[in-house]
Amino acid sequence: MNPLKEALDTLKDTGVRITPQRHAILEYLINSMSHPTADDIYKALEGKFPNMSVATVYNNLRVFREVGLVKELTFGDASSRFDFVTSHHYHVICEKCGKIVDFLYPGLDEVEHLASHVTGFKVENHRMEIYGSCPECASKEVH
């Protein structure tokens, strides 16, 4: 199934109106692999929607987050980044340039079960971030 159609159906099912801006922001997020900030999304779409503001982008991202379509990623730098929720995945983050790359590793789901078993907690989810230097930044380090 088409992820955009599924996301639009989810919005309709929760009573959220599909505006052209919402459609465009969602489509941009689905197609973007860069984990954009609200400002990145605004800059990419302002030509198509000259009356749209950064606040409109933020408000729509909040709606998407509330219905579970988007995750807000905060890595301690200035701006939150946004990720369309697909499968459970992790992020590898370059400490030099801030680039974020998705990393799939389904084996960590076992950690949730073990944590629950050992502690008695009802585990809801987990988050793991891996930090290092991306290939481009690492190649600049070598003299």
Tab-separated table of all heavy atoms in Angstrom, residues 30-71:
chain	number	residue	atom	x	y	z
A	30	ILE	N	7.302	12.111	3.861
A	30	ILE	CA	7.395	10.710	3.415
A	30	ILE	C	8.560	10.544	2.449
A	30	ILE	O	9.301	9.568	2.519
A	30	ILE	CB	6.065	10.248	2.776
A	30	ILE	CG1	4.989	10.137	3.871
A	30	ILE	CG2	6.241	8.926	2.039
A	30	ILE	CD1	3.575	9.952	3.349
A	31	ASN	N	8.730	11.526	1.559
A	31	ASN	CA	9.776	11.414	0.530
A	31	ASN	C	11.148	11.871	1.009
A	31	ASN	O	12.155	11.592	0.370
A	31	ASN	CB	9.375	12.204	-0.717
A	31	ASN	CG	8.159	11.598	-1.382
A	31	ASN	OD1	7.986	10.386	-1.374
A	31	ASN	ND2	7.303	12.433	-1.922
A	32	SER	N	11.191	12.571	2.137
A	32	SER	CA	12.459	13.109	2.625
A	32	SER	C	13.182	12.068	3.468
A	32	SER	O	12.593	11.483	4.364
A	32	SER	CB	12.200	14.346	3.484
A	32	SER	OG	13.369	14.703	4.160
A	33	MET	N	14.431	11.879	3.204
A	33	MET	CA	15.238	10.962	4.008
A	33	MET	C	16.135	11.747	4.959
A	33	MET	O	16.959	11.195	5.643
A	33	MET	CB	16.087	10.055	3.099
A	33	MET	CG	15.289	9.186	2.149
A	33	MET	SD	13.959	8.253	2.944
A	33	MET	CE	14.905	6.995	3.763
A	34	SER	N	15.952	13.083	4.998
A	34	SER	CA	16.909	13.929	5.724
A	34	SER	C	16.457	14.316	7.130
A	34	SER	O	17.135	15.076	7.783
A	34	SER	CB	17.185	15.185	4.910
A	34	SER	OG	15.993	15.962	4.825
A	35	HIS	N	15.291	13.808	7.582
A	35	HIS	CA	14.775	14.174	8.904
A	35	HIS	C	14.735	15.697	9.025
A	35	HIS	O	15.455	16.286	9.827
A	35	HIS	CB	15.626	13.569	10.024
A	35	HIS	CG	15.789	12.090	9.888
A	35	HIS	ND1	16.761	11.523	9.125
A	35	HIS	CD2	15.084	11.073	10.419
A	35	HIS	CE1	16.654	10.207	9.185
A	35	HIS	NE2	15.645	9.907	9.963
A	36	PRO	N	13.890	16.351	8.211
A	36	PRO	CA	13.916	17.818	8.131
A	36	PRO	C	13.402	18.511	9.384
A	36	PRO	O	12.639	17.943	10.166
A	36	PRO	CB	12.978	18.109	6.955
A	36	PRO	CG	12.030	16.952	6.938
A	36	PRO	CD	12.851	15.767	7.375
A	37	THR	N	13.828	19.762	9.557
A	37	THR	CA	13.274	20.633	10.597
A	37	THR	C	12.006	21.258	9.997
A	37	THR	O	11.792	21.199	8.777
A	37	THR	CB	14.259	21.754	10.975
A	37	THR	OG1	14.460	22.573	9.809
A	37	THR	CG2	15.588	21.209	11.472
A	38	ALA	N	11.199	21.904	10.836
A	38	ALA	CA	10.006	22.605	10.341
A	38	ALA	C	10.429	23.684	9.343
A	38	ALA	O	9.765	23.904	8.325
A	38	ALA	CB	9.233	23.223	11.504
A	39	ASP	N	11.562	24.329	9.620
A	39	ASP	CA	12.073	25.368	8.729
A	39	ASP	C	12.462	24.800	7.366
A	39	ASP	O	12.197	25.418	6.332
A	39	ASP	CB	13.279	26.048	9.399
A	39	ASP	CG	13.388	27.502	8.992
A	39	ASP	OD1	12.344	28.188	8.976
A	39	ASP	OD2	14.515	27.940	8.671
A	40	ASP	N	13.088	23.608	7.354
A	40	ASP	CA	13.445	22.951	6.085
A	40	ASP	C	12.187	22.700	5.251
A	40	ASP	O	12.181	22.922	4.032
A	40	ASP	CB	14.113	21.589	6.331
A	40	ASP	CG	15.466	21.685	7.016
A	40	ASP	OD1	16.129	22.738	6.901
A	40	ASP	OD2	15.869	20.696	7.676
A	41	ILE	N	11.144	22.209	5.929
A	41	ILE	CA	9.890	21.893	5.232
A	41	ILE	C	9.274	23.185	4.683
A	41	ILE	O	8.866	23.245	3.522
A	41	ILE	CB	8.898	21.168	6.176
A	41	ILE	CG1	9.490	19.834	6.627
A	41	ILE	CG2	7.547	20.977	5.490
A	41	ILE	CD1	8.754	19.168	7.781
A	42	TYR	N	9.257	24.218	5.513
A	42	TYR	CA	8.720	25.516	5.090
A	42	TYR	C	9.459	26.031	3.852
A	42	TYR	O	8.844	26.423	2.855
A	42	TYR	CB	8.824	26.523	6.239
A	42	TYR	CG	8.565	27.941	5.804
A	42	TYR	CD1	7.273	28.371	5.504
A	42	TYR	CD2	9.613	28.854	5.667
A	42	TYR	CE1	7.028	29.665	5.083
A	42	TYR	CE2	9.377	30.146	5.249
A	42	TYR	CZ	8.083	30.553	4.951
A	42	TYR	OH	7.851	31.829	4.532
A	43	LYS	N	10.793	26.005	3.897
A	43	LYS	CA	11.596	26.505	2.766
A	43	LYS	C	11.344	25.700	1.498
A	43	LYS	O	11.317	26.250	0.406
A	43	LYS	CB	13.081	26.492	3.124
A	43	LYS	CG	13.443	27.623	4.060
A	43	LYS	CD	14.907	27.584	4.468
A	43	LYS	CE	15.226	28.693	5.452
A	43	LYS	NZ	16.276	28.321	6.381
A	44	ALA	N	11.165	24.376	1.653
A	44	ALA	CA	10.931	23.524	0.487
A	44	ALA	C	9.557	23.770	-0.138
A	44	ALA	O	9.390	23.604	-1.346
A	44	ALA	CB	11.056	22.053	0.890
A	45	LEU	N	8.583	24.193	0.668
A	45	LEU	CA	7.204	24.320	0.170
A	45	LEU	C	6.723	25.759	-0.022
A	45	LEU	O	5.647	25.966	-0.571
A	45	LEU	CB	6.241	23.585	1.118
A	45	LEU	CG	6.478	22.084	1.281
A	45	LEU	CD1	5.510	21.515	2.308
A	45	LEU	CD2	6.348	21.351	-0.042
A	46	GLU	N	7.516	26.753	0.416
A	46	GLU	CA	7.022	28.137	0.362
A	46	GLU	C	6.751	28.615	-1.064
A	46	GLU	O	5.868	29.436	-1.282
A	46	GLU	CB	7.954	29.105	1.110
A	46	GLU	CG	9.293	29.333	0.465
A	46	GLU	CD	10.155	30.329	1.231
A	46	GLU	OE1	9.592	31.233	1.891
A	46	GLU	OE2	11.381	30.203	1.168
A	47	GLY	N	7.486	28.088	-2.044
A	47	GLY	CA	7.241	28.463	-3.447
A	47	GLY	C	5.871	28.007	-3.913
A	47	GLY	O	5.179	28.706	-4.656
A	48	LYS	N	5.467	26.829	-3.462
A	48	LYS	CA	4.175	26.242	-3.848
A	48	LYS	C	3.022	26.862	-3.043
A	48	LYS	O	1.903	26.971	-3.534
A	48	LYS	CB	4.248	24.729	-3.588
A	48	LYS	CG	3.188	23.917	-4.255
A	48	LYS	CD	3.483	22.431	-4.067
A	48	LYS	CE	2.387	21.572	-4.646
A	48	LYS	NZ	2.613	20.156	-4.373
A	49	PHE	N	3.317	27.245	-1.784
A	49	PHE	CA	2.303	27.830	-0.893
A	49	PHE	C	2.821	29.146	-0.308
A	49	PHE	O	3.230	29.189	0.842
A	49	PHE	CB	1.967	26.857	0.251
A	49	PHE	CG	1.407	25.554	-0.211
A	49	PHE	CD1	2.220	24.437	-0.318
A	49	PHE	CD2	0.057	25.444	-0.540
A	49	PHE	CE1	1.706	23.225	-0.750
A	49	PHE	CE2	-0.458	24.222	-0.971
A	49	PHE	CZ	0.360	23.122	-1.084
A	50	PRO	N	2.784	30.225	-1.113
A	50	PRO	CA	3.360	31.490	-0.647
A	50	PRO	C	2.689	32.060	0.612
A	50	PRO	O	3.296	32.823	1.350
A	50	PRO	CB	3.191	32.440	-1.832
A	50	PRO	CG	2.343	31.737	-2.821
A	50	PRO	CD	2.288	30.301	-2.481
A	51	ASN	N	1.442	31.665	0.889
A	51	ASN	CA	0.749	32.188	2.075
A	51	ASN	C	0.970	31.344	3.320
A	51	ASN	O	0.470	31.665	4.386
A	51	ASN	CB	-0.763	32.308	1.808
A	51	ASN	CG	-1.042	33.275	0.681
A	51	ASN	OD1	-0.281	34.215	0.467
A	51	ASN	ND2	-2.109	33.038	-0.054
A	52	MET	N	1.716	30.254	3.186
A	52	MET	CA	1.958	29.369	4.330
A	52	MET	C	3.081	29.944	5.205
A	52	MET	O	4.059	30.467	4.691
A	52	MET	CB	2.358	27.975	3.830
A	52	MET	CG	2.480	26.954	4.937
A	52	MET	SD	2.645	25.272	4.311
A	52	MET	CE	4.253	25.319	3.557
A	53	SER	N	2.916	29.839	6.522
A	53	SER	CA	3.943	30.339	7.445
A	53	SER	C	4.647	29.161	8.123
A	53	SER	O	4.178	28.029	8.048
A	53	SER	CB	3.297	31.221	8.509
A	53	SER	OG	2.471	30.422	9.343
A	54	VAL	N	5.757	29.455	8.794
A	54	VAL	CA	6.457	28.414	9.566
A	54	VAL	C	5.521	27.885	10.651
A	54	VAL	O	5.507	26.697	10.951
A	54	VAL	CB	7.771	28.952	10.183
A	54	VAL	CG1	8.463	27.881	10.997
A	54	VAL	CG2	8.704	29.451	9.092
A	55	ALA	N	4.695	28.772	11.214
A	55	ALA	CA	3.740	28.355	12.251
A	55	ALA	C	2.759	27.312	11.705
A	55	ALA	O	2.413	26.347	12.398
A	55	ALA	CB	2.982	29.561	12.789
A	56	THR	N	2.329	27.486	10.458
A	56	THR	CA	1.431	26.511	9.815
A	56	THR	C	2.114	25.148	9.761
A	56	THR	O	1.500	24.123	10.046
A	56	THR	CB	1.063	26.963	8.377
A	56	THR	OG1	0.506	28.264	8.433
A	56	THR	CG2	0.098	26.009	7.714
A	57	VAL	N	3.390	25.155	9.386
A	57	VAL	CA	4.146	23.894	9.306
A	57	VAL	C	4.209	23.257	10.694
A	57	VAL	O	3.904	22.074	10.856
A	57	VAL	CB	5.565	24.118	8.729
A	57	VAL	CG1	6.368	22.829	8.768
A	57	VAL	CG2	5.493	24.663	7.312
A	58	TYR	N	4.585	24.023	11.714
A	58	TYR	CA	4.660	23.505	13.085
A	58	TYR	C	3.320	22.939	13.546
A	58	TYR	O	3.254	21.862	14.128
A	58	TYR	CB	5.100	24.601	14.075
A	58	TYR	CG	6.587	24.654	14.279
A	58	TYR	CD1	7.328	25.715	13.792
A	58	TYR	CD2	7.252	23.632	14.966
A	58	TYR	CE1	8.704	25.775	13.977
A	58	TYR	CE2	8.618	23.688	15.153
A	58	TYR	CZ	9.344	24.760	14.660
A	58	TYR	OH	10.693	24.798	14.845
A	59	ASN	N	2.236	23.690	13.296
A	59	ASN	CA	0.916	23.241	13.728
A	59	ASN	C	0.526	21.926	13.066
A	59	ASN	O	-0.043	21.038	13.710
A	59	ASN	CB	-0.147	24.315	13.448
A	59	ASN	CG	0.045	25.536	14.335
A	59	ASN	OD1	0.627	25.449	15.419
A	59	ASN	ND2	-0.422	26.683	13.876
A	60	ASN	N	0.835	21.792	11.776
A	60	ASN	CA	0.528	20.551	11.070
A	60	ASN	C	1.387	19.399	11.570
A	60	ASN	O	0.900	18.282	11.736
A	60	ASN	CB	0.666	20.735	9.562
A	60	ASN	CG	-0.543	21.428	8.978
A	60	ASN	OD1	-1.649	20.899	9.011
A	60	ASN	ND2	-0.359	22.639	8.482
A	61	LEU	N	2.649	19.680	11.851
A	61	LEU	CA	3.530	18.633	12.387
A	61	LEU	C	3.020	18.156	13.745
A	61	LEU	O	3.059	16.963	14.053
A	61	LEU	CB	4.972	19.147	12.498
A	61	LEU	CG	5.682	19.361	11.155
A	61	LEU	CD1	6.981	20.127	11.365
A	61	LEU	CD2	5.947	18.035	10.449
A	62	ARG	N	2.505	19.093	14.551
A	62	ARG	CA	1.943	18.731	15.851
A	62	ARG	C	0.728	17.804	15.672
A	62	ARG	O	0.601	16.794	16.351
A	62	ARG	CB	1.548	19.994	16.618
A	62	ARG	CG	1.035	19.726	18.029
A	62	ARG	CD	0.634	21.003	18.768
A	62	ARG	NE	-0.102	21.963	17.961
A	62	ARG	CZ	-1.401	21.855	17.659
A	62	ARG	NH1	-2.113	20.858	18.108
A	62	ARG	NH2	-1.984	22.775	16.913
A	63	VAL	N	-0.137	18.143	14.714
A	63	VAL	CA	-1.311	17.301	14.416
A	63	VAL	C	-0.848	15.906	13.982
A	63	VAL	O	-1.356	14.890	14.470
A	63	VAL	CB	-2.202	17.948	13.313
A	63	VAL	CG1	-3.252	16.982	12.805
A	63	VAL	CG2	-2.852	19.222	13.835
A	64	PHE	N	0.133	15.851	13.092
A	64	PHE	CA	0.642	14.556	12.613
A	64	PHE	C	1.241	13.749	13.754
A	64	PHE	O	1.106	12.535	13.823
A	64	PHE	CB	1.701	14.742	11.517
A	64	PHE	CG	1.206	15.444	10.267
A	64	PHE	CD1	2.096	16.087	9.429
A	64	PHE	CD2	-0.138	15.463	9.941
A	64	PHE	CE1	1.659	16.736	8.282
A	64	PHE	CE2	-0.595	16.107	8.788
A	64	PHE	CZ	0.315	16.747	7.957
A	65	ARG	N	1.934	14.452	14.671
A	65	ARG	CA	2.541	13.767	15.814
A	65	ARG	C	1.456	13.196	16.728
A	65	ARG	O	1.549	12.073	17.183
A	65	ARG	CB	3.440	14.735	16.585
A	65	ARG	CG	4.368	14.032	17.580
A	65	ARG	CD	5.172	15.012	18.397
A	65	ARG	NE	4.263	15.788	19.229
A	65	ARG	CZ	4.343	17.100	19.422
A	65	ARG	NH1	5.299	17.802	18.880
A	65	ARG	NH2	3.467	17.727	20.175
A	66	GLU	N	0.424	13.986	16.963
A	66	GLU	CA	-0.655	13.550	17.851
A	66	GLU	C	-1.394	12.324	17.328
A	66	GLU	O	-1.864	11.509	18.110
A	66	GLU	CB	-1.640	14.704	18.115
A	66	GLU	CG	-1.053	15.733	19.067
A	66	GLU	CD	-1.845	17.039	19.138
A	66	GLU	OE1	-2.902	17.153	18.464
A	66	GLU	OE2	-1.391	17.941	19.866
A	67	VAL	N	-1.512	12.196	15.993
A	67	VAL	CA	-2.188	11.007	15.446
A	67	VAL	C	-1.212	9.858	15.166
A	67	VAL	O	-1.606	8.818	14.671
A	67	VAL	CB	-3.042	11.328	14.185
A	67	VAL	CG1	-4.150	12.307	14.513
A	67	VAL	CG2	-2.199	11.834	13.043
A	68	GLY	N	0.066	10.080	15.503
A	68	GLY	CA	1.051	8.999	15.393
A	68	GLY	C	1.697	8.814	14.042
A	68	GLY	O	2.330	7.791	13.785
A	69	LEU	N	1.586	9.801	13.156
A	69	LEU	CA	2.192	9.677	11.820
A	69	LEU	C	3.643	10.143	11.792
A	69	LEU	O	4.415	9.735	10.934
A	69	LEU	CB	1.409	10.504	10.798
A	69	LEU	CG	0.003	10.023	10.462
A	69	LEU	CD1	-0.670	11.007	9.527
A	69	LEU	CD2	0.061	8.634	9.839
A	70	VAL	N	3.986	11.022	12.732
A	70	VAL	CA	5.301	11.660	12.708
A	70	VAL	C	5.904	11.602	14.105
A	70	VAL	O	5.200	11.701	15.099
A	70	VAL	CB	5.135	13.146	12.264
A	70	VAL	CG1	6.384	13.948	12.505
A	70	VAL	CG2	4.750	13.216	10.803
A	71	LYS	N	7.224	11.411	14.149
A	71	LYS	CA	7.946	11.476	15.418
A	71	LYS	C	8.768	12.752	15.413
A	71	LYS	O	9.370	13.115	14.412
A	71	LYS	CB	8.933	10.300	15.528
A	71	LYS	CG	8.374	9.107	16.230
A	71	LYS	CD	9.483	8.133	16.539
A	71	LYS	CE	8.900	6.876	17.151
A	71	LYS	NZ	9.674	5.704	16.842
